Amino acid sequence: MRWEIIIDRIPILLQGALMTVELTVLAVGIGTVIGLFTSLFRISKFGLSRFLAATYIDFFRGTPLLAQIYLIYFGLPQLVGYVPNPWISGVAALSINSGAYIAEIFRAGIQSIDKGQMEASRSLGMSYGQAMRYVILPQAFKRIVPPLGNEFIAMLKDSSLVSVITLQELMLTGRTIVGSTYRPFEVYITVAVLYLVMTLSISRLIAFLERRLRTGDLH
Amino acid sequence: MIYIKDLYKSFGTLEVLKGVSCHVKEKEVVVVIGPSGSGKSTLLRCINKLEDATSGEITVDNIPLNGSATNLNKVREEVGMVFQRFNLFPHKTALGNITMAPMKVRKTAKAEVYEAALKLLNKVGLSDKADVYPDQLSGGQQQRVAIARALAMQPKIMLFDEPTSALDPEMVGEVLAVMKNLAREGMTMVVVSHEMGFAREVGDRVIFMDEGMIIEEGTPEQVFGSPQHQRTKAFLSKIL
């Protein structure tokens, strides 16, 4: 074991970890916006919007993220003719993928709210949109915190896949170090532990948020 | 105020309303009774279009509900509804429940809405509960807040869908008292309820429904005192 090669490279490993966090936060953030609107399309009374939303969700949940990354980074430029940017392609692929999962999280959250809430809102003269915005979604948001936390953890790990399009996040940083040191065990165990530290921190944060929401009960 | 003609309503193959016609005059209090599954709640829910009628005509305050030009939200602003299970907004205080619709729908100024809401809370006897959330209120208190919430829109008609059925017996009285006051003030009311005392005291008319049809209607004295139909007699003998 030669741990000194790790000590020397802690700064670049942390830099890689930072990019992993950035990718994850962006992907889940953008994915949440995509997911919110997709879920509203998914439960709409208009058949076409339901169909489009379901198709999007099925495609991005039913195909490998790796294939989606290749498709966006290599495939689309061939059709549309632009020079692909790894950062934009990577964030786009992760966000679009995350959006599909988060859409289902939102849908489940919205549909878990008693339908009497919508009826009471509508009986007071509120439009469907007003009822969603002021009554249904505020209640649904609280219920989706735990599954959203799971999605965050899953995305943190899955973001390692964008290493294949040269983004220097934690995984690719590790692989690069192995390439120059030939010490795969020390490097990959360090990379794994860094991922573990990040996922454990997130699950603690989510648990804390859940407790806060519960002491406030349903308010 | 409310005209209903040949109303049919089916859920899939289940026919719930089979040709109901009736009308409710301004300031009239109509109590609808009947066994469960008789379609009385569905009839009520058709009046503010929480359910779409399969066929037939409904006119509320001279506005036909099935007209394509009809703005349903506008009609619903004039028709308050009180539910069996209250359906208060759990993430809002009593005051927040009452003020939401007037502010968001009527766009009334906040100060005005709050002043009116506090008066309504006082009217239903809950002045001290303004800042309390629904889960800290008893069933009777929740239902009174729900009535205040509906009244905050200053509706012309109030619909009550079994407002006391989900309440513990000792809380029924406080809700009925609020409803009686409302009737005395001249509110037009349609009440689905089995509270015979309430029907006798404030009801102008009682409608007995069974199997999706109106079997009998008349003053409370007529319907309770000398029912004409066999089915009415059978139903009343079970609940009185």
Side-chain angles (χ1 to χ4, degrees):
Chain A
M1 294 284 163
R2 293 183 44 207
W3 291 105
E4 70 280 3
I5 63 154
I6 298 297
I7 311 247
D8 291 345
R9 288 171 179 81
I10 278 180
I12 58 166
L13 281 166
L14 288 181
Q15 235 168 10
L18 181 65
M19 184 185 272
T20 289
V21 170
E22 285 170 1
L23 282 166
T24 307
V25 169
L26 273 173
V28 175
I30 299 170
T32 300
V33 177
I34 297 175
L36 170 59
F37 287 100
T38 305
S39 69
L40 293 175
F41 272 64
R42 180 82 179 75
I43 57 174
S44 140
K45 60 179 171 181
F46 299 108
L48 180 66
S49 79
R50 275 205 310 272
F51 172 77
L52 290 175
T55 306
Y56 160 69
I57 292 167
D58 284 345
F59 182 84
F60 285 94
R61 293 204 316 166
T63 57
L65 177 55
L66 190 56
Q68 295 162 19
I69 292 167
Y70 280 144
L71 202 55
I72 288 174
Y73 185 67
F74 297 114
L76 280 185
Q78 177 204 321
L79 290 187
V80 194
Y82 63 90
V83 182
N85 171 317
W87 175 254
I88 292 175
S89 301
V91 169
L94 296 179
S95 304
I96 294 169
N97 179 271
S98 193
Y101 284 94
I102 294 176
E104 287 296 273
I105 293 173
F106 266 107
R107 184 183 60 79
I110 290 169
Q111 289 179 337
S112 76
I113 304 298
D114 186 276
K115 75 178 179 28
Q117 293 289 309
M118 178 58 87
E119 290 183 349
S121 313
R122 299 307 301 273
S123 79
L124 289 163
M126 284 188 225
S127 67
Y128 178 84
Q130 287 174 323
M132 267 293 163
R133 183 166 158 208
Y134 300 118
V135 177
I136 308 295
L137 287 176
Q139 297 181 60
F141 275 129
K142 281 166 192 162
R143 296 196 187 171
I144 68 172
V145 165
L148 209 54
N150 290 339
E151 170 61 19
F152 210 94
I153 289 170
M155 187 42 66
L156 192 113
K157 295 181 290 176
D158 289 350
S159 70
S160 61
L161 287 169
V162 297
S163 60
V164 299
I165 57 170
T166 73
L167 280 178
Q168 279 287 348
E169 40 68 75
L170 182 54
M171 196 64 224
L172 185 54
T173 304
R175 207 180 304 154
T176 312
I177 296 172
V178 171
S180 61
T181 60
Y182 304 104
R183 301 301 296 184
F185 182 80
E186 290 91 331
V187 174
Y188 286 136
I189 197 78
T190 308
V191 166
V193 167
L194 283 173
Y195 274 110
L196 187 62
V197 167
M198 290 190 283
T199 51
L200 285 180
S201 310
I202 296 170
S203 55
R204 291 289 139 78
L205 185 70
I206 297 296
F208 170 76
L209 271 178
E210 263 183 80
R211 270 199 310 278
R212 281 290 302 273
L213 288 174
R214 205 172 312 130
T215 48
D217 207 22
L218 279 166
H219 314 142
Chain B
M1 272 313 247
I2 306 171
Y3 285 91
I4 297 172
K5 204 177 159 211
D6 292 330
L7 189 69
Y8 284 82
K9 170 68 186 175
S10 303
F11 294 103
T13 55
L14 181 71
E15 202 172 30
V16 181
L17 295 178
K18 302 169 186 166
V20 172
S21 300
C22 63
H23 71 276
V24 178
K25 293 193 281 279
E26 197 173 344
K27 300 196 173 186
E28 196 176 21
V29 177
V30 174
V31 180
V32 184
I33 61 172
S36 62
S38 60
K40 49 197 195 309
S41 283
T42 306
L43 173 66
L44 202 66
R45 291 160 61 86
C46 282
I47 296 174
N48 68 352
K49 269 235 164 173
L50 283 181
E51 304 289 355
D52 278 318
T54 308
S55 71
E57 287 167 37
I58 304 176
T59 308
V60 175
D61 197 22
N62 293 321
I63 306 167
L65 286 195
N66 39 2
S68 55
T70 303
N71 183 340
L72 274 183
N73 296 333
K74 281 277 168 234
V75 177
R76 288 187 179 128
E77 287 176 35
E78 312 301 335
V79 184
M81 182 148 188
V82 175
F83 299 86
Q84 182 175 358
R85 288 175 50 245
F86 331 133
N87 295 349
L88 288 179
F89 307 137
H91 61 305
K92 294 282 176 189
T93 60
L95 197 60
N97 267 275
I98 298 171
T99 55
M100 185 189 285
M103 285 204 298
K104 304 298 183 196
V105 179
R106 291 234 197 259
K107 315 277 187 205
T108 314
K110 190 175 173 180
E112 202 180 314
V113 170
Y114 273 77
E115 198 190 321
L118 289 170
K119 273 187 195 152
L120 282 169
L121 273 175
N122 188 35
K123 186 174 174 173
V124 299
L126 293 170
S127 299
D128 53 332
K129 303 291 185 191
D131 299 320
V132 173
Y133 286 93
D135 59 0
Q136 291 159 300
L137 294 171
S138 72
Q141 291 170 332
Q142 287 191 52
Q143 193 62 298
R144 285 186 281 156
V145 172
I147 293 172
R149 177 177 70 175
L151 290 175
M153 290 297 284
Q154 298 173 308
K156 294 175 180 163
I157 300 166
M158 284 285 281
L159 308 174
F160 293 84
D161 188 4
E162 308 205 23
T164 56
S165 303
L167 296 177
D168 291 336
E170 75 268 26
M171 293 168 183
V172 169
E174 62 193 53
V175 172
L176 289 180
V178 169
M179 291 169 63
K180 282 176 197 167
N181 269 333
L182 208 53
R184 281 191 202 106
E185 288 170 12
M187 176 64 78
T188 308
M189 292 163 64
V190 182
V191 185
V192 171
S193 175
H194 292 150
E195 295 295 334
M196 297 305 150
F198 173 82
R200 281 209 162 108
E201 197 180 329
V202 299
D204 296 307
R205 195 145 50 92
V206 171
I207 291 177
F208 172 68
M209 284 183 74
D210 194 14
E211 293 178 359
M213 287 178 286
I214 293 179
I215 305 296
E216 185 163 355
E217 60 182 302
T219 63
E221 290 74 29
Q222 288 168 343
V223 175
F224 295 135
S226 53
Q228 301 301 306
H229 280 78
Q230 206 50 50
R231 274 193 273 179
T232 320
K233 284 177 194 164
F235 175 72
L236 290 174
S237 72
K238 274 180 217 150
I239 63 162
L240 285 180

